[in-house]
Amino acid sequence: MAVTSDPTNLSRLDFKKGDGLLPAIIQDADTGAVLMLGYMNAAALQATQARGRVVFFSRSRQTLWEKGETSGHTLNVEAIRADCDGDTLLITARPLGPTCHEGTVTCFGDVPVTGATRLGFLAQLAGIIEQRIMAAPEDSYTAKLFAGGPHRMAQKVGEEGVEVALAAVGQSDERLLSESADLLFHLMVLLRSRNLNLDEVVSELAARHAKGP
């Protein structure tokens, strides 16, 4: 994964201020929620840039540790920036699963539901889909659907599309919403099979909008 970092911006970092460590604020790239706070030394920052996943320095164990190395709930880095004083890092990332070891979305508890977090949930759902595909538990519908291959996934998208159309012309609003959710979920799994995602769909829509009517 490509990590966006401005060498000029990061060149201002002063690790001496904190005896070799800088606080690193981790922010959800989609919802803007603050996920957690950790600490990095120069080696941890380099490892983060190289891996594309957040790597901290453990003050208790005095060693580097990758977030999610045991749970699988990694933080996939989008961008890294330093603050104006060069003594704090802001890292935007996409979490794969809950960030907190207690199972909450952030280390400060679950994020209040707002317009932004509702949309941001799609990114969380993409992470859950990825987890199910990688772990492939026997009881996972997502894993079974993915294992069925592109034809099975395409078939389900087609079926759900028909269900949405039927609900739109003759059923309740609740049914239409339910069928729309099913369609969106199956579409996300199908996109994942081609290494695509909803971000790219949104980018396509934005590009069309930029061209005008």
Side-chain angles (χ1 to χ4, degrees):
M1 177 182 295
V3 177
T4 302
S5 54
D6 182 349
T8 301
N9 178 263
L10 295 184
S11 67
R12 70 176 67 183
L13 290 174
D14 186 356
F15 286 95
K16 295 179 181 179
K17 286 186 179 181
D19 294 326
L21 295 177
L22 295 181
I25 301 166
I26 313 300
Q27 182 180 38
D28 191 301
D30 296 297
T31 68
V34 175
L35 298 174
M36 67 175 296
L37 172 70
Y39 291 86
M40 291 185 177
N41 59 8
L45 176 59
Q46 291 171 0
T48 296
Q49 292 174 301
R51 301 180 193 181
R53 300 181 299 275
V54 173
V55 178
F56 292 115
F57 179 81
S58 171
R59 294 173 295 172
S60 59
R61 290 179 288 154
Q62 292 291 296
T63 187
L64 299 184
W65 66 281
E66 181 178 315
K67 178 70 177 70
E69 60 190 10
T70 54
S71 68
H73 299 162
T74 56
L75 294 168
N76 298 325
V77 179
E78 289 293 315
I80 304 173
R81 291 191 63 80
D83 75 339
C84 56
D85 293 322
D87 57 9
T88 303
L89 288 162
L90 176 63
I91 299 177
T92 52
R94 287 190 166 87
L96 188 61
T99 296
C100 184
H101 69 283
E102 294 184 349
T104 53
V105 174
T106 83
C107 288
F108 307 99
D110 285 320
V111 180
V113 176
T114 64
T117 54
R118 285 191 189 96
L119 291 176
F121 174 73
L122 292 175
Q124 295 177 35
L125 180 57
I128 294 170
I129 289 171
E130 183 70 20
Q131 277 186 297
R132 297 289 191 274
I133 290 171
M134 297 302 292
E138 292 184 1
D139 60 347
S140 170
Y141 171 77
T142 303
K144 291 177 182 177
L145 176 64
F146 189 83
H151 291 290
R152 176 56 178 161
M153 287 178 276
Q155 178 186 12
K156 287 300 297 181
V157 169
E159 290 174 359
E160 297 301 341
V162 171
E163 293 293 336
V164 169
L166 291 174
V169 296
Q171 298 177 26
S172 66
D173 290 348
E174 290 75 13
R175 185 68 176 178
L176 177 57
L177 289 173
S178 177
E179 296 297 347
S180 296
D182 288 344
L183 174 59
L184 186 56
F185 166 77
H186 286 89
L187 176 60
M188 290 177 70
V189 178
L190 179 61
L191 287 170
R192 168 58 182 79
S193 73
R194 297 284 293 269
N195 292 316
L196 300 171
N197 55 56
L198 287 181
D199 280 349
E200 290 165 288
V201 175
V202 172
S203 294
E204 173 64 21
L205 288 171
R208 293 181 186 182
H209 175 72
K211 294 178 181 178

